[in-house]
Amino acid sequence: MSTGHDTTLPTEALINEELIAYHQARAKGGVGLIVTQVAGVHETARYTSHMLMATDDTCIAGYRQLADVCHAEGCVIFSQLFHPGREIMESADGLLAVAYAPSVSPNERFHVMPREMEKDLIDEIVAGYAASARRMFLAGLDGVEFVASHGYLPIQFLNPEVNQRTDDYGGSFDNRLRFFREALAAMRAETDENFVIGMRISTDDRDDTGLESEEVLACCVALESLLDYVSVTAGTSATIGGAVHIAPPMAYQSGYLANDAKRFTDRLGIPVFVTGRINQPHEAEAILAGGFADMCGMTRALICDPDMPIKACEARPDDIRACIGCNQACIGHFHRGYPISCIQHPETGRELHYGTLPRAERSRRIIVIGGGPGGMKAAITAAKRGHQVTLYEGEGQLGGQARLAQLLPGRAEFGGIITNLTRELEIHQVKIKRGIWVDRGLVEKEAPDAVVMATGATPYMPKLEFDGSVQVVDPWQILRKDVKPGRRVVVADWRNDWIGPGIAEMMVREGSSVELAVNGTNLGAALPLYVRDNIAAELHKLDIRVTTYARVFGVDSGTVFFQHTASRNAMVFEDIDMLVLCHGHRPFDGLKAEMKGLDIPIHMLGDCLASRTAEEAVYEGLKIGATL
Ligand SMILES: Cc1cc2nc3c(=O)[nH]c(=O)nc-3n(C[C@H](O)[C@H](O)[C@H](O)COP(=O)(O)O)c2cc1C
Ligand code: SF4
């Protein structure tokens, strides 16, 4: 089952060709049930500018087309029906919308102060759920899912911290459930008894201001007769710590909500679904076999590998491209307002363009230089299209910078990108030559039809006023253990990504006293939000002091000087013996000049072109491989 997830693919709040192609790929891959992303049930439900709306009949045609496409592949389809209450994430037009909630109770994460709903508005929204369910029913969908998870409107009614009403919708447990009962009954009245009506709910909000598991379980027990299933997840959109559970990053254990789900499965007579870092069929199988839940949702696992179910059925588990929980291209894109994709499978979200790659008109001999993720993806894509591809890697092992990235604390799973791409290289019979540094002579000797340069980058060291009193190193030296960690260390983080905070955490765990100086307005500004917030939590637990707006300036007599990037005042770190400069990378591209004059097309990608992330490298690998 693929659980509901915003894709940012819709335009004009309607289902379009891109979204149909996206779900069709998963239905073809063997997914049994797709729950489509949230659809707003009332005008006040617009929580992002690119969501689906089910508020009038114009939505029906698109849903019908989507249902037909899924049914043709034997896949069942439900739609999430949604109202965010006070959880308004972004403005649609640069102005702040009026958010409505059961009471005037501020949202901490988006700093929204909602207006209390009047009874008329509650009635309109209940009618909106009913009308939207009817539209899904008419479109031929198999069911709908009432989104009561993640702190959205229904659960705002249940939570006495948010709902301080004194009318029939507030106060007693029964009153706080009234909105649920009215909405669910109205949806049933507008459909029929074969139409599935389920509910998504967080087992607990994972925050001190939120609901706990007992209260949520009592709610599900009370509503059981109105529901066909309960789909459990965790967390709340309302707080930073709670929201991490909306798409838990790789620091969370696989299937970490199975025990929570079991408490619901044991008490409820209707099916219970569970989702949350269940990445592989064997993990799902263990949850089902152990009686923890009746169905496993796998959202990012299917964003990453739409064919995972078929591969599982065909007993090809090693061929599965397992999601690594990096959050970079899926929810990372969503939060920035771009269509979702996958760092490992950039074809996702781009199915219309890259869904099927045409075979090359003529099989050519291609050399790919550099076995990082980008080079591997280029080699795989070119080989898939019928070219004869040889991949050269200078080191003894494939992986490039991903081999170092996986050494950062809590990031071991990032190494999965190497395992997955290596398997694809094998499947597509790419010839791999390790431990060979390619030079002009080798290229001349091989005389390929095209060269793909994916030679990566090396650490960039900024110019400093420097008296030699402090050991200045780059993060690669720390990760490779080339140097002994200092006693009192400053980590200068220009990239605002994983590296600076990761190095700081690592060195503290090894016994150094570390401060982190970030050249930016906040820690991890370049990171997917939930990854950033998880890192912030770890640093806080370790008592690592973080200073922002800090541009590294120089070193004098054991003191490291920074400058505040807004005030231009000096910032001083005294009694320091090591400065780690996390200042990004410069292209390692000398071979380009060396090959000048050769009559062979050269294509560059990834960091050797300009230092960015693995996501750009893999996508450029796909683009180049698709056009060779
Ligand atoms: C890009 C993205 C968008 C999401 N949007 C929604 C949503 O619209 N509704 C919802 O209930 N959950 C949403 N989620 C949460 C997923 O349904 C799922 O619970 C989460 O990804 C954890 O499961 P996984 O580890 O299998 O990915 C979203 C997740 C992602 C990655
Ligand atoms: S981008 Fe990362 S987290 Fe998202 S689906 Fe791909 S591998 Fe998984």
Side-chain angles (χ1 to χ4, degrees):
M1 168 202 186
S2 166
T3 50
H5 54 285
D6 263 301
T7 56
T8 328
L9 288 168
T11 36
E12 311 286 320
L14 293 170
I15 287 182
N16 56 10
E17 267 188 295
E18 284 80 4
L19 189 61
I20 291 175
Y22 172 84
H23 285 303
Q24 187 174 31
R26 278 133 195 99
K28 271 186 195 296
V31 176
L33 164 62
I34 287 175
V35 181
T36 58
Q37 65 193 78
V38 295
V41 298
H42 187 267
E43 266 312 305
T44 54
R46 290 181 189 268
Y47 85 139
T48 68
S49 53
H50 43 258
M51 65 185 287
L52 289 174
M53 295 296 283
T55 40
D56 68 60
D57 290 353
T58 53
C59 73
I60 296 176
Y63 277 103
R64 183 172 295 130
Q65 219 185 329
L66 182 59
D68 289 348
V69 160
C70 290
H71 289 157
E73 303 296 340
C75 174
V76 172
I77 174 163
F78 303 163
S79 167
Q80 288 196 319
L81 296 185
F82 177 75
H83 195 295
R86 63 180 185 169
E87 300 301 310
I88 302 290
M89 285 182 72
E90 63 171 72
S91 165
D93 55 5
L95 303 172
L96 295 177
V98 179
Y100 292 92
S103 304
V104 181
S105 169
N107 161 289
E108 183 177 275
R109 185 164 155 234
F110 305 120
H111 305 281
V112 170
M113 185 63 79
R115 181 172 174 76
E116 179 170 315
M117 288 175 158
E118 290 175 15
K119 169 77 169 87
D120 287 354
L121 182 58
I122 296 179
D123 291 345
E124 261 184 45
I125 292 173
V126 167
Y129 277 106
S132 303
R134 172 113 195 119
R135 291 183 185 111
M136 299 303 163
F137 178 72
L138 293 175
L141 271 72
D142 305 283
V144 289
E145 185 173 277
F146 180 63
V147 181
S149 55
H150 301 130
Y152 298 123
L153 180 62
I155 212 73
Q156 290 166 29
F157 273 99
L158 186 66
N159 186 346
E161 294 261 347
V162 186
N163 179 356
Q164 286 129 27
R165 298 177 77 95
T166 50
D167 63 3
D168 290 348
Y169 293 88
S172 70
F173 179 66
D174 248 14
N175 273 1
R176 284 181 281 121
L177 272 188
R178 191 175 305 280
F179 180 79
F180 288 75
R181 288 208 174 92
E182 288 183 355
L184 292 169
M187 287 193 270
R188 181 63 74 201
E190 285 295 321
T191 56
D192 70 19
E193 64 279 13
N194 295 321
F195 191 69
V196 175
I197 297 180
M199 176 168 78
R200 194 161 209 214
I201 201 157
S202 299
T203 56
D204 86 57
D205 285 352
R206 297 288 208 271
D207 193 90
D208 297 337
T209 61
L211 288 167
E212 288 180 4
S213 191
E214 264 320 303
E215 300 161 289
V216 177
L217 183 51
C219 158
C220 294
V221 170
L223 298 174
E224 201 173 351
S225 62
L226 297 170
L227 290 168
D228 294 313
Y229 72 86
V230 167
S231 175
V232 300
T233 172
T236 173
S237 157
T239 64
I240 285 179
V244 167
H245 297 272
I246 294 176
M250 66 177 75
Y252 286 81
Q253 230 185 315
S254 145
Y256 77 113
L257 294 178
N259 283 324
D260 289 39
K262 179 113 178 50
R263 301 186 50 240
F264 285 65
T265 307
D266 288 347
R267 286 281 295 284
L268 296 172
I270 51 175
V272 172
F273 307 167
V274 65
T275 310
R277 292 270 292 140
I278 305 168
N279 284 339
Q280 298 258 28
H282 67 268
E283 295 164 1
E285 197 55 48
I287 288 172
L288 300 181
F292 292 89
D294 302 290
M295 172 116 76
C296 289
M298 302 168 101
T299 279
R300 284 168 296 172
L302 292 162
I303 292 176
C304 185
D305 193 346
D307 294 326
M308 187 249 280
I310 284 186
K311 291 175 181 172
C313 288
E314 292 175 353
R316 295 192 285 131
D318 291 346
D319 294 355
I320 292 170
R321 184 187 312 107
C323 163
I324 55 174
C326 69
N327 278 2
Q328 273 173 258
C330 51
I331 198 127
H333 278 204
F334 165 71
H335 281 138
R336 285 182 283 136
Y338 303 118
I340 64 163
S341 187
C342 175
I343 180 176
Q344 301 192 73
H345 187 60
E347 291 88 337
T348 287
R350 302 181 175 104
E351 283 78 8
L352 289 178
H353 202 74
Y354 292 110
T356 24
L357 292 174
R359 266 194 94 70
E361 282 167 17
R362 181 168 73 81
S363 175
R364 294 187 168 88
R365 292 181 50 245
I366 313 283
I367 284 185
V368 178
I369 307 168
M376 289 200 267
K377 183 69 181 181
I380 292 159
T381 313
K384 258 187 189 170
R385 297 185 50 240
H387 295 304
Q388 302 156 56
V389 186
T390 307
L391 173 65
Y392 285 91
E393 166 55 47
E395 305 278 339
Q397 286 170 292
L398 296 173
Q401 287 179 59
R403 281 176 48 222
L404 292 174
Q406 67 182 337
L407 301 176
L408 290 166
R411 305 278 304 165
E413 207 169 329
F414 198 78
I417 194 171
I418 307 172
T419 317
N420 293 332
L421 287 164
T422 304
R423 177 68 189 139
E424 288 190 65
L425 290 170
E426 280 167 19
I427 294 171
H428 298 289
Q429 297 176 354
V430 172
K431 211 187 280 173
I432 301 168
K433 299 204 174 177
R434 295 182 177 82
I436 297 177
W437 290 96
V438 175
D439 58 12
R440 182 185 174 108
L442 195 148
V443 176
E444 276 176 326
K445 196 164 136 240
E446 291 284 321
D449 295 307
V451 169
V452 177
M453 243 184 90
T455 45
T458 53
Y460 173 83
M461 297 299 265
K463 287 203 179 78
L464 293 182
E465 305 250 335
F466 182 46
D467 74 349
S469 60
V470 166
Q471 191 180 6
V472 179
V473 298
D474 67 59
W476 291 20
Q477 290 172 286
I478 301 292
L479 289 168
R480 288 174 167 158
K481 306 224 176 289
D482 292 344
V483 290
K484 262 184 40 204
R487 180 183 55 83
R488 280 193 36 91
V489 180
V490 182
V491 177
D493 172 15
W494 168 82
R495 273 183 56 129
N496 289 207
D497 66 358
W498 315 263
I499 301 174
I503 293 286
E505 180 181 341
M506 195 172 161
M507 294 184 84
V508 165
R509 291 192 188 281
E510 286 170 3
S512 306
S513 161
V514 183
E515 292 199 45
L516 180 65
V518 175
N519 188 344
T521 55
N522 62 292
L523 171 80
L527 292 178
L529 304 188
Y530 306 148
V531 173
R532 175 199 68 190
D533 297 334
N534 212 54
I535 288 175
E538 286 310 308
L539 295 198
H540 189 254
K541 282 187 235 164
L542 291 170
D543 218 5
I544 297 175
R545 191 161 76 114
V546 180
T547 305
T548 52
Y549 292 91
R551 174 196 297 148
V552 68
F553 190 80
V555 173
D556 188 13
S557 312
T559 297
V560 180
F561 291 92
F562 285 78
Q563 190 179 31
H564 192 280
T565 51
S567 74
R568 295 162 67 196
N569 286 348
M571 301 157 99
V572 177
F573 295 74
E574 288 171 320
D575 187 23
I576 301 297
D577 61 2
M578 180 174 272
L579 169 64
V580 188
L581 290 173
C582 302
H583 266 248
H585 305 99
R586 61 183 320 135
F588 184 68
D589 60 355
L591 192 58
K592 172 95 191 320
E594 218 188 293
M595 289 195 288
K596 200 162 176 202
L598 282 184
D599 190 20
I600 300 171
I602 299 171
H603 306 269
M604 293 172 81
L605 62 84
D607 273 14
C608 79
L609 194 56
S611 163
R612 286 152 299 154
T613 74
E615 183 187 353
E616 287 80 15
V618 173
Y619 180 43
E620 287 164 9
L622 170 67
K623 284 204 292 192
I624 289 175
T627 49
L628 283 170

